[in-house]
Amino acid sequence: RLDQVETFLFRLITGRLSSGAQGIRPIDLTRRLIRPLIEVDKNLIEEYGLRRQLSFVFDSSNADLTRTRNRIRHHVIPLLGRINPGLVSSLTVVADRLGGDDRYLEKAAIDALESADGEISVGWLSGISPVLQWRILRLIAQQQLGPAAREIGYDSFHRVVRSLGRSGPRYSIFELGRGIRCRVDRRGG
């Protein structure tokens, strides 16, 4: 559970909470990973291993304080834990709730995109809730670019979304990063 809280705080602090709010998923089909103990408290796992005299390895990279995640683990979480001794439980609940919201919104974006039946226009996208607009753009990027779409951050999609409600030139080109561009064509809505 501490890994979940670290991931949640890392994404919150680095501005990546807009997707993947729930932290580390127990099953990651994309990467073909199953993490059966991700929801189990680290102390319980260590106690189990000690009682059964199991050998285990500590990852020495977890002590490297040049890594943001480790500074969160060794400094931020203990500090916040002094303010709220139930921090891990509280943030686990929040991350789970936000993860549920994220899955709901992702499904709504998929449904909206499917309802467009391949006809995506500035007018159509402008009529969709702004909460879903950037997700729809991300889905389109994933369809067009595959794994490279993961390199595009929320801020890049949000710049495009902000431009939708404004009048502007007939064409706008947005740099999304890594040489990827989005062209907004305002002809005919």
Side-chain angles (χ1 to χ4, degrees):
R1 290 175 24 154
L2 188 56
D3 282 340
Q4 294 286 52
V5 170
E6 290 168 8
T7 300
F8 176 77
L9 287 173
F10 179 78
R11 290 179 180 164
L12 178 67
I13 291 167
T14 59
R16 296 183 215 164
L17 192 59
S18 56
S19 63
Q22 79 177 44
I24 303 170
R25 293 184 181 191
I27 299 174
D28 184 339
L29 297 176
T30 306
R31 295 173 55 201
R32 301 180 64 183
L33 289 173
I34 298 175
R35 300 175 183 96
L37 301 177
I38 196 68
E39 302 291 335
V40 179
D41 188 87
K42 177 183 171 185
N43 294 331
L44 291 176
I45 296 170
E46 288 177 353
E47 287 173 18
Y48 178 88
L50 287 172
R51 278 197 312 271
R52 296 197 170 45
Q53 299 179 348
L54 301 174
S55 61
F56 50 91
V57 176
F58 286 103
D59 181 353
S60 61
S61 71
N62 287 333
D64 180 1
L65 295 179
T66 62
R67 295 177 178 209
T68 303
R69 184 181 185 94
N70 291 338
R71 289 194 307 273
I72 291 169
R73 174 182 298 136
H74 296 292
H75 296 296
V76 175
I77 291 176
L79 177 64
L80 294 175
R82 287 195 293 275
I83 296 168
N84 175 7
L87 177 77
V88 172
S89 293
S90 297
L91 288 183
T92 299
V93 168
V94 169
D96 286 345
R97 286 189 358 230
L98 289 174
D101 292 351
D102 188 50
R103 286 187 299 278
Y104 177 83
L105 292 169
E106 193 69 15
K107 170 96 172 66
I110 290 167
D111 292 346
L113 186 56
E114 287 174 354
S115 76
D117 203 26
E119 294 293 323
I120 308 300
S121 69
V122 171
W124 176 83
L125 194 55
S126 295
I128 300 290
S129 167
V131 174
L132 298 179
Q133 289 172 345
W134 76 269
R135 292 170 186 276
I136 291 169
L137 290 173
R138 188 184 63 204
L139 289 168
I140 293 168
Q142 288 169 345
Q143 291 171 354
Q144 298 296 314
L145 304 171
R150 283 189 286 229
E151 300 293 325
I152 304 170
Y154 168 79
D155 288 342
S156 296
F157 291 120
H158 190 64
R159 276 196 327 273
V160 176
V161 166
R162 281 194 322 252
S163 79
L164 295 176
R166 298 183 194 148
S167 60
R170 187 170 177 179
Y171 299 103
S172 298
I173 304 288
F174 294 89
E175 295 288 337
L176 302 180
R178 306 271 186 182
I180 300 167
R181 295 178 176 177
C182 173
R183 178 177 137 166
V184 175
D185 181 350
R186 290 183 175 80
R187 291 179 301 165

